[in-house]
Amino acid sequence: MTALFYIVRKSVKNSLKELLRKPGKLALYLLALAVIAGVIVMSFFPSLRASASAPLFWFTGILFLYIVLFVVLAVVKGMSGGDAIFEMSDVNLLFVSPVDPRRILVYGVARMAKSAFFAGFFILFQANSLANFGIRYGGVLLTLAGFVLSVVVLLILSLLIYSATNGRPGRKRLVKLLAALPFLPLAVFAAASYLQTRDVLAAAEAAIQSPFLTFIPVAGWTAAGVSAFLSGATGAGLLYFGANLLLGIGLIVYLLFSNPDYYEDVLVATETAYEKKRALSEGNLSAATAPASGRRVRVKGTGIPFYGAAALFGKHARENFRENRFGFLTLPSALIAAGAILLTLFVRELWLAMQILMWMQIFLIGTGRGLKETYSHYIYMIPETSFRKILWSNMEIVARTLLESALIFGISGALLKSDAVYILVCAAAYTLFSLLLLGVNYVFMRFTGADISAGLLLFIYCIAVLLVMAPGVVLAVVIGSAVGGDIGFLTGLLVLCGWELAAGLVCFALSGGVLHHCDMPVFRTNK
Amino acid sequence: MIDALNISKRYGKTLANDNISLTAAAGEMTVLLGPNGAGKSTLIKSVCGLLRFEGGVTIGGFDNHTVDAKRLLGYVPEFPALYPMLTVFEHLEFIAKAYRLSEWRADAEGLLRQFELWDKADKLGKELSKGMQQKVSVCCALLPRPKAVIMDEPLVGLDPHGIRELKAAMRDLKSGGRALLVSTHMIESVEGDWDTTYILNGGKVAAVCRREGLPPGKTLEDIYFSITEGDSTGGGNSTDKADSTGEGGEGV
């Protein structure tokens, strides 16, 4: 164990030393600590009660669905390569050392708990949204604890699934069946409720409040446990959290005693994760962010349409249609569209959904192929002007955003029987916001020369987007209020569209010649 | 063909390239040698216009950021970066279309056959091994028939056949009047073909060697180790001042 403690001690010490040398990173960590400290301090003030405007069971349902997403990911990963709980350095140095493999596994799982905490860190920023369900700051921390616990359990589950199904197709089918089985009673109950009431919301409410949800390991137990704590049923909360904990411990014990030679089982996932990190640091962002699924891609149509800089768009179109059957509408964007349509049905307001989508777009804009293209050399070497290359390399995300807008606002607007002009204006505000975000990204590249750490860049970028948008929002509110009524609201949205367009164009103008004035960015992985 | 003048590149406090000047003439192979961290890749990326730098670079007389310069330049990066969802042939088609090449199909097929990739033409980028990716990367760089070709560690990861073919391709390029600028650790891989070698150390040009200026009985390897390890027996007249090319550093 001394060797493992040594690694942990030295890693922590060296990370702290590195932080002192990098003020930007230090500022981010201090901010993170301040947020955690802030939430903890606030949780000691029971007078700061949140006023509930939505019933708690909806929160239970949302948390349940969110963790189900991680359950699905864990099962899929388990059947492909397992989850990476070790680093390549562990494989090369620890696995060949005379340290007990069981202790090494505990070390790996403990380290993953840290990663799970950071994965759930964003929950702390949801305090305002959670307040709508009457959840106070203590409840936010509790939600984070439940999330971290379930993610750690799922990591071990994923490893176990890989260990049990590797190279055994029959067992994979069995795991799929077993994974779906606990959800069956809930699905049947929800379907029966719908047939009885013919009301989707009523059926969903009945399903969430039914005991069938609490029978589902990990996702159901976490959602029910957090909700039980929040509604004062501490005993029930402890029971559900304890069940998750016991499951995790049971899985570790099973793994240790059934298969102490687990090194082979973790190798594939570790190597895959390492290759991705290496691809990132070598500038091969396309390879690093390509779906890791073992799905065999069938090459049917081939060829790249268009010439010159437009060939970039032709290439993106070919890549998109080959990668997924929806073409420009990727699977994540299709899921977001479906989620947004559902959300609109709940909140009954298009502009509220638009607002949430715009927040998400701040982070999702980087998933476009145009920005990824700047990480490899081709776009710099093509003999065309910087402007033409930037323009055509971003046509893919423009097409995607237009499709998303048409789907989300078209379907939601039709279901809510909204006015056509209102639908169009919402779609325009969302699409033009994407244009503005692209512009801000290129301005950053132009003026920082892309020579800045990813974390710090993201932080400054978010602040910059808020600052650029603020005058437009203020202007929209002032003019909208002055006009008043529904017309005023529409006018306000139109003003916002105008601001987004103008600010976006100014950003693009400022970023002129960006491909000649920046270092080809390198994704820093801190591996 | 490739002229770099007083290139300096700084990463924070680190000076990766310190006032480096370099010329790669048409019909010649110019080699960059140096230990890890000497600044070879940084210099190559600066010449290709992938990094900002102080100083100036021209390709065929055009500033390296201009469209005219890019049309003349082919680049094989140190790490091959292929698109996972494009087939091998589509990589070449993409380059052909982006460079507005005409009659490129026969050339593409020729390159793929030369590098034993023709039977992999329909394979996706993500399905290729690292060595094959490197070969595709070479084919992409050579397809537009560039007048100047820059290769950063091009032989790393290649199998023996690939190494033989790439060396042959480099000789063909040289005899075809192209300017070649090659960065490598493998001195023996360029021993037979180099014309000028720049030995970089600590971000500076430590020596410039012309093949005809080598002392009798001395190899490029001898010179390299005498410069980088301070072996007084290897370099012969390595203490001479800059040679007639005027790039700075010691001339041999």
Side-chain angles (χ1 to χ4, degrees):
Chain A
M1 211 58 158
T2 321
L4 297 173
F5 276 130
Y6 180 81
I7 293 175
V8 173
R9 207 177 68 236
K10 282 290 172 187
S11 300
V12 170
K13 193 177 164 190
N14 291 340
S15 302
L16 288 174
K17 273 185 182 172
E18 193 201 21
L19 269 185
L20 293 176
R21 283 199 303 269
K22 293 184 173 175
K25 204 171 176 182
L26 181 65
L28 277 181
Y29 273 80
L30 288 176
L31 182 75
L33 279 176
V35 171
I36 297 168
V39 174
I40 292 171
V41 169
M42 299 290 257
S43 67
F44 288 112
F45 292 93
S47 57
L48 292 172
R49 282 183 180 279
S51 55
S53 59
L56 186 65
F57 68 82
W58 284 126
F59 166 74
T60 312
I62 292 168
L63 184 62
F64 171 73
L65 283 178
Y66 188 60
I67 296 173
V68 165
L69 185 72
F70 283 81
V71 173
V72 173
L73 282 175
V75 174
V76 170
K77 274 188 175 178
M79 286 193 293
S80 54
D83 226 326
I85 65 169
F86 291 102
E87 297 274 344
M88 218 41 212
S89 49
D90 298 326
V91 171
N92 293 339
L93 299 172
L94 268 183
F95 284 15
V96 293
S97 72
V99 178
D100 186 349
R102 294 177 172 89
R103 287 177 175 172
I104 295 177
L105 182 64
V106 173
Y107 156 77
V109 171
R111 231 185 24 183
M112 275 305 103
K114 185 189 84 178
S115 306
F117 173 78
F118 284 110
F121 187 68
F122 79 98
I123 290 175
L124 296 181
F125 290 95
Q126 303 306 312
N128 266 342
S129 310
L130 296 181
N132 290 323
F133 300 103
I135 298 171
R136 286 170 287 158
Y137 288 98
V140 177
L141 284 176
L142 197 71
T143 308
L144 176 64
F147 173 81
V148 171
L149 179 62
S150 51
V151 170
V152 173
V153 173
L154 288 171
L155 277 167
I156 308 162
L157 181 70
S158 168
L159 184 61
L160 189 73
I161 291 175
Y162 179 74
S163 173
T165 63
N166 184 22
R168 294 162 171 154
R171 284 195 180 185
K172 281 185 183 174
R173 279 193 293 274
L174 185 67
V175 165
K176 277 182 196 169
L177 189 73
L178 287 175
L181 216 55
F183 294 89
L184 196 63
L186 184 70
V188 171
F189 181 78
S193 302
Y194 176 72
L195 289 174
Q196 252 180 2
T197 58
R198 296 281 169 190
D199 183 346
V200 178
L201 289 181
E205 182 183 337
I208 293 167
Q209 292 186 315
S210 76
F212 297 112
L213 183 137
T214 63
F215 295 159
I216 299 172
V218 191
W221 294 346
T222 306
V226 172
S227 304
F229 275 122
L230 292 175
S231 37
T234 311
L238 284 173
L239 188 75
Y240 289 123
F241 269 43
N244 257 344
L245 196 64
L246 271 179
L247 177 66
I249 293 170
L251 291 174
I252 292 178
V253 170
Y254 177 78
L255 204 63
L256 288 176
F257 288 97
S258 69
N259 181 18
D261 187 16
Y262 61 86
Y263 287 169
E264 186 189 331
D265 298 332
V266 296
L267 204 57
V268 173
T270 311
E271 282 176 344
T272 308
Y274 175 74
E275 280 304 319
K276 286 208 163 196
K277 274 187 180 179
R278 203 179 65 170
L280 272 175
S281 63
E282 288 174 1
N284 198 351
L285 197 68
S286 304
T289 54
S293 74
R295 181 173 70 92
R296 189 164 175 78
V297 178
R298 285 177 62 196
V299 178
K300 285 190 281 186
T302 57
I304 309 286
F306 313 128
Y307 285 85
L312 284 162
F313 177 59
K315 178 178 78 70
H316 292 160
R318 172 63 64 208
E319 289 172 306
N320 269 34
F321 278 89
R322 188 164 287 153
E323 198 166 290
N324 67 83
R325 62 194 67 173
F326 303 112
F328 288 114
L329 202 65
T330 59
L331 185 63
S333 62
L335 286 174
I336 287 169
I341 292 165
L342 270 176
L343 180 78
T344 319
L345 291 179
F346 279 119
V347 296
R348 317 291 297 175
E349 272 296 350
L350 272 188
W351 73 273
L352 270 176
M354 180 193 83
Q355 201 185 346
I356 293 168
L357 284 168
M358 282 163 71
W359 274 106
M360 289 172 73
Q361 190 72 335
I362 293 178
F363 303 100
L364 293 175
I365 197 80
T367 60
R369 292 188 190 273
L371 284 169
K372 280 187 199 165
E373 202 69 61
T374 57
Y375 283 78
S376 61
H377 67 280
Y378 298 100
I379 194 165
Y380 300 89
M381 304 297 293
I382 291 170
E384 296 276 329
T385 62
S386 174
F387 174 75
R388 286 176 64 85
K389 288 188 279 193
I390 291 292
L391 179 78
W392 283 105
S393 70
N394 285 297
M395 279 298 165
E396 178 252 1
I397 196 143
V398 171
R400 190 209 292 183
T401 311
L402 279 172
L403 271 170
E404 280 175 3
S405 296
L407 258 179
I408 297 169
F409 299 107
I411 295 176
S412 307
L415 289 171
L416 294 179
K417 298 187 174 60
S418 301
D419 181 57
V421 179
Y422 181 37
I423 295 172
L424 279 175
V425 173
C426 281
Y430 176 61
T431 308
L432 289 169
F433 184 61
S434 300
L435 178 85
L436 170 67
L437 291 177
L438 282 174
V440 172
N441 268 285
Y442 285 114
V443 166
F444 263 77
M445 269 184 80
R446 173 73 176 78
F447 288 100
T448 63
D451 185 21
I452 187 169
S453 79
L456 187 61
L457 182 68
L458 187 69
F459 179 66
I460 303 173
Y461 159 73
C462 290
I463 302 283
V465 171
L466 294 178
L467 287 177
V468 171
M469 279 299 285
V473 173
V474 171
L475 207 64
V477 170
V478 169
I479 295 176
S481 309
V483 176
D486 285 351
I487 297 291
F489 187 68
L490 264 182
T491 312
L493 281 177
L494 276 170
V495 169
L496 190 67
C497 289
W499 178 264
E500 288 169 346
L501 179 65
L505 291 176
V506 168
C507 286
F508 272 102
L510 287 174
S511 68
V514 58
L515 294 178
H516 300 162
H517 294 96
C518 72
D519 289 354
M520 185 173 78
V522 175
F523 203 91
R524 288 166 187 149
T525 56
N526 293 327
K527 63 184 174 187
Chain B
M1 179 57 72
I2 301 172
D3 290 291
L5 192 64
N6 304 327
I7 300 274
S8 289
K9 172 67 189 172
R10 197 178 275 281
Y11 291 109
K13 288 176 187 164
T14 310
L15 190 57
N17 286 161
D18 184 4
N19 201 31
I20 294 178
S21 294
L22 167 150
T23 298
E28 288 195 357
M29 180 191 281
T30 305
V31 176
L32 290 179
L33 280 182
N36 293 330
K40 303 185 296 294
S41 289
T42 300
L43 179 61
I44 278 192
K45 283 179 184 159
S46 297
V47 171
C48 289
L50 304 176
L51 299 178
R52 292 169 302 159
F53 55 89
E54 288 169 32
V57 174
T58 58
I59 314 288
F62 301 106
D63 178 88
N64 69 336
H65 288 119
T66 60
V67 172
D68 292 315
K70 289 177 190 297
R71 213 168 270 134
L72 298 175
L73 193 60
Y75 169 54
V76 180
E78 184 180 6
F79 305 109
L82 298 194
Y83 296 104
M85 283 294 152
L86 289 193
T87 65
V88 168
F89 197 79
E90 281 170 344
H91 276 87
L92 297 186
E93 183 173 357
F94 167 58
I95 294 295
K97 298 277 176 77
Y99 281 69
R100 300 177 190 274
L101 305 179
S102 54
E103 310 296 324
W104 56 273
R105 285 185 184 272
D107 286 352
E109 184 179 335
L111 280 167
L112 292 180
R113 285 192 188 282
Q114 182 182 355
F115 286 96
E116 290 191 319
L117 287 168
W118 183 241
D119 60 330
K120 310 274 186 309
D122 291 329
K123 286 264 180 207
L124 293 175
K126 68 172 188 171
E127 295 169 345
L128 301 180
S129 68
K130 186 107 188 257
M132 283 183 196
Q133 289 188 21
Q134 180 72 344
K135 289 183 194 177
V136 177
S137 200
V138 171
C139 294
C140 287
L142 299 186
L143 184 66
R145 295 173 179 259
K147 296 268 188 267
V149 182
I150 298 179
M151 299 183 175
D152 195 356
E153 301 288 354
L155 301 173
V156 173
L158 291 185
D159 57 20
H161 178 87
I163 290 175
R164 191 184 69 191
E165 287 307 319
L166 184 55
K167 279 181 166 181
M170 288 199 281
R171 275 193 287 274
D172 287 349
L173 286 167
K174 196 177 136 179
S175 60
R178 266 70 166 172
L180 265 170
L181 177 60
V182 181
S183 153
T184 184
H185 283 118
M186 303 180 200
I187 303 176
E188 71 284 357
S189 68
V190 291
E191 192 81 73
D193 299 304
W194 68 279
D195 296 288
T196 307
T197 294
Y198 289 77
I199 299 177
L200 267 58
N201 205 0
K204 292 181 179 175
V205 176
V208 187
C209 314
R210 287 287 299 175
R211 175 179 281 277
E212 58 272 19
L214 273 188
K218 295 292 178 191
T219 62
L220 187 57
E221 194 171 80
D222 296 330
I223 306 293
Y224 175 79
F225 286 117
S226 74
I227 298 287
T228 55
E229 295 179 357
D231 173 11
S232 59
T233 61
N237 58 347
S238 65
T239 50
D240 292 352
K241 291 294 176 191
D243 69 358
S244 59
T245 55
E247 283 87 356
E250 294 171 345
V252 175

